[in-house]
Amino acid sequence: MTSTHAFWLVGRQATGETAFDVTSPWDGRLVGSVSVPTEAQVEEAVAAAHAAVDEFAATPAHVRAAALDHVSRRLAERTEEIARLISAENGKPIKWARGEVGRAVSVFRFAAEEARRFNGGEAQRLDTDAGGQGRLALTRRVPKGVVLGIAPFNFPLNLSAHKVAPAIAVGAPIILKPAPATPLSALVLGELLAETELPAGSWSVLPVPNDRMPALVQDERLPVISFTGSGPVGYAIMDLVPRKHCTLELGGNGAAVVLADWASESDLDWAASRIATFSNYQGGQSCISVQRVIADTSVYDRLLPKIVAAVESQVTGDPSEDATDVGPLVSEDAARRVESWVDEAVRGGARLLTGGKREGASYAPTVLTDLPADSTLACEEVFGPVLSVTRVDGEAEAFAAVNDSQYGLQAGVFTHDVRTAFRAHRALEVGGVIIGDVPSYRADQMPYGGAKQSGVGREGVAYAMDDYTYERVLVLTGLAL
């Protein structure tokens, strides 16, 4: 895993004039060296994708579906190898990396199924008014054009899959730009795509440095941008190209609400276990990880020690070990930022119950209470293994606390009452409400996205396919309806 990796240019392997190293955030070892596309090679990829728009859109559904099925099967066959690669470049514990590969297997399978169903057409009689007599409208969806997919480091394979698979399913060429810290798993995805019969110009995987992205973002031949990452970068993209179609999957400040009826010992044990696991999985580097626990006063005193104990039982260490629950953050700089935010909160009056220590790129799973409302930890996405617990009095106060955030990605509500579940669904200003569990649940076929500053648009295979296409109407005249 230490050789120089070529990138994928118009369906073939290519190398540029320079390269960069990918190192493990756990021990600093070299994982691989990645070749960087030249400006001329990027231009070749964009021109080829633009030229392939009509051809790829006309590709038979069975060809696109077969390619997607092939990638799904090959990912499954190579699960352990790819999981080890993700763990090495990302620092993700191997058990979570295996889960990520499994999710990508499903994403490509879902996309193959949707490709076969896509564009069946909807017929609409227009003779409901006299002027439409003898007329029938047929509506189909057609690709908007080339997709520029910009993937993040935290799920380098699966979130690349969520860009690539829907684009192939609808017949839209795609240029995938992986995160500089974690390009290797995306390059493996290119390897599997190269085994298919897809047109050469329909896809490229280009590990372009971030400072060269504005030119790609502004290129008029790339009318659709699908970005997952930080809010400032996402909204900067949207501001730069206001006339393009942008899907932005941005940050969160995930809240888990534990209401008064979730009160038995087994209930609280379950909630504490789920909260501890999903505030720390991926090192807390997930937009829907649990960052805030909002507990009714009637259960707070029993729940808090259970959460602390469950967090302290998380196994930290070498991400290549099967027993490890929590590995390092993606870089030492990321860990230092988390450290500084926790230190700021403690200086402001927060009470540290466990954790709060950094070693290199690793940060200990951390629980705080009495978090100052104006602290950075309270207001921003920590993207690290840090959790705050807050006491509230009743459902209304709990829901208000969830909404007291600039973010609105997902929320979890621990309740047994279906009426409360529906009230939560109505009241909470988020893209998804998870009942009886943490906000960190995501099924890859469901619509996924946020409200407020958590983004624009929805992922989930079928929903991304809608995002990448528009409705085109054909009106037939002179028919005997």
Side-chain angles (χ1 to χ4, degrees):
M1 289 196 297
T2 57
S3 59
T4 298
H5 296 258
F7 52 85
W8 292 92
L9 175 63
V10 195
R12 70 179 192 279
Q13 283 191 307
T15 56
E17 298 170 353
T18 61
F20 65 93
D21 290 340
V22 178
T23 58
S24 164
W26 169 246
D27 56 15
R29 67 185 170 88
L30 179 66
V31 181
S33 182
V34 175
S35 188
V36 178
T38 65
E39 290 186 7
Q41 288 169 322
V42 172
E43 168 58 28
E44 180 183 348
V46 173
H50 181 66
V53 166
D54 291 341
E55 176 191 1
F56 196 30
T59 302
H62 72 86
V63 173
R64 288 179 275 117
L68 292 161
D69 273 331
H70 174 84
V71 174
S72 179
R73 286 193 302 271
R74 294 287 284 133
L75 285 170
E77 291 168 0
R78 296 175 62 179
T79 291
E80 187 65 17
E81 170 202 348
I82 298 171
R84 293 283 170 187
L85 186 62
I86 293 171
S87 183
E89 67 174 344
N90 173 280
K92 180 175 299 193
I94 186 63
K95 67 180 179 181
W96 295 115
R98 292 183 186 117
E100 179 174 349
V101 179
R103 289 179 61 186
V105 169
S106 296
V107 168
F108 277 93
R109 187 181 73 250
F110 296 151
E113 295 165 356
E114 293 293 343
R116 293 183 175 97
R117 289 191 286 262
F118 181 69
N119 230 347
E122 178 181 339
Q124 181 182 16
R125 293 179 64 136
L126 301 179
D127 61 353
T128 50
D129 285 321
Q133 187 166 332
R135 295 177 184 255
L136 182 77
L138 180 67
T139 303
R140 294 189 293 174
R141 301 193 70 89
V142 298
K144 294 173 180 174
V146 183
V147 177
L148 173 60
I150 306 172
F153 71 81
N154 57 332
F155 291 87
L157 178 68
N158 195 44
L159 292 183
S160 293
H162 272 285
K163 314 297 183 193
V164 172
I168 293 172
V170 302
I174 182 164
I175 294 174
L176 176 67
K177 188 264 186 208
T182 56
L184 299 176
S185 46
L187 294 176
V188 172
L189 191 57
E191 183 180 334
L192 304 185
L193 289 168
E195 297 172 354
T196 72
E197 300 299 322
L198 293 174
S202 60
W203 63 275
S204 293
V205 181
L206 303 180
V208 178
N210 288 342
D211 60 7
R212 287 172 55 191
M213 282 308 297
L216 264 178
V217 166
Q218 295 178 82
D219 195 306
E220 293 183 357
R221 295 167 293 178
L222 309 176
V224 180
I225 298 174
S226 179
F227 171 84
T228 302
S230 73
V233 175
Y235 285 115
I237 289 173
M238 180 173 279
D239 291 343
L240 194 62
V241 287
R243 296 188 180 183
K244 288 194 177 190
H245 179 89
C246 295
T247 298
L248 306 178
E249 297 297 335
L250 307 177
N253 191 342
V257 176
V258 184
L259 293 176
D261 69 308
W262 199 269
S264 72
E265 290 302 312
S266 61
D267 281 345
L268 296 179
D269 287 342
W270 164 257
S273 172
R274 297 293 284 177
I275 288 165
T277 296
F278 289 98
S279 64
N280 295 293
Y281 84 127
Q282 329 289 339
Q285 297 169 121
S286 167
C287 296
I288 47 176
S289 67
V290 184
Q291 185 171 332
R292 298 182 289 158
V293 175
I294 298 164
D296 189 87
T297 190
S298 64
V299 298
Y300 179 92
D301 289 332
R302 289 189 295 141
L303 176 63
L304 182 58
K306 291 177 183 288
I307 290 175
V308 173
V311 167
E312 291 179 340
S313 72
Q314 295 284 298
V315 178
T316 62
D318 186 343
S320 68
E321 298 291 337
D322 287 345
T324 300
D325 298 310
V326 187
L329 275 69
V330 72
S331 68
E332 190 165 349
D333 283 346
R336 286 196 190 100
R337 178 190 55 76
V338 172
E339 179 182 42
S340 70
W341 288 15
V342 172
D343 289 349
E344 175 204 54
V346 172
R347 288 194 303 270
R351 189 159 58 101
L352 180 66
L353 301 185
T354 191
K357 297 178 181 179
R358 180 182 67 83
E359 183 175 347
S362 297
Y363 195 80
T366 297
V367 180
L368 301 140
T369 60
D370 304 324
L371 192 63
D374 61 350
S375 64
T376 307
L377 268 178
C379 301
E380 300 293 339
E381 179 182 37
V382 65
F383 228 58
V386 178
L387 178 68
S388 68
V389 187
T390 302
R391 184 195 302 265
V392 294
D393 189 8
E395 174 189 309
E397 189 174 328
F399 291 173
V402 174
N403 290 339
D404 185 20
S405 172
Q406 64 179 318
Y407 298 107
L409 194 47
Q410 292 196 159
V413 180
F414 288 89
T415 181
H416 295 291
D417 189 334
V418 68
R419 292 168 298 182
T420 301
F422 273 85
R423 287 195 297 270
H425 194 226
R426 174 188 285 272
L428 298 181
E429 298 165 355
V430 295
V433 178
I434 315 300
I435 300 298
D437 205 351
V438 292
S440 316
Y441 176 78
R442 178 184 179 183
D444 292 287
Q445 70 271 38
M446 77 183 196
Y448 174 77
K452 298 191 284 191
Q453 297 300 303
S454 286
V456 178
R458 291 294 180 269
E459 286 191 341
V461 175
Y463 304 91
M465 290 169 68
D466 283 347
D467 245 8
Y468 293 170
T469 57
Y470 68 93
E471 293 173 318
R472 183 180 291 171
V473 178
L474 172 70
V475 176
L476 302 175
T477 304
L479 302 179
L481 298 176

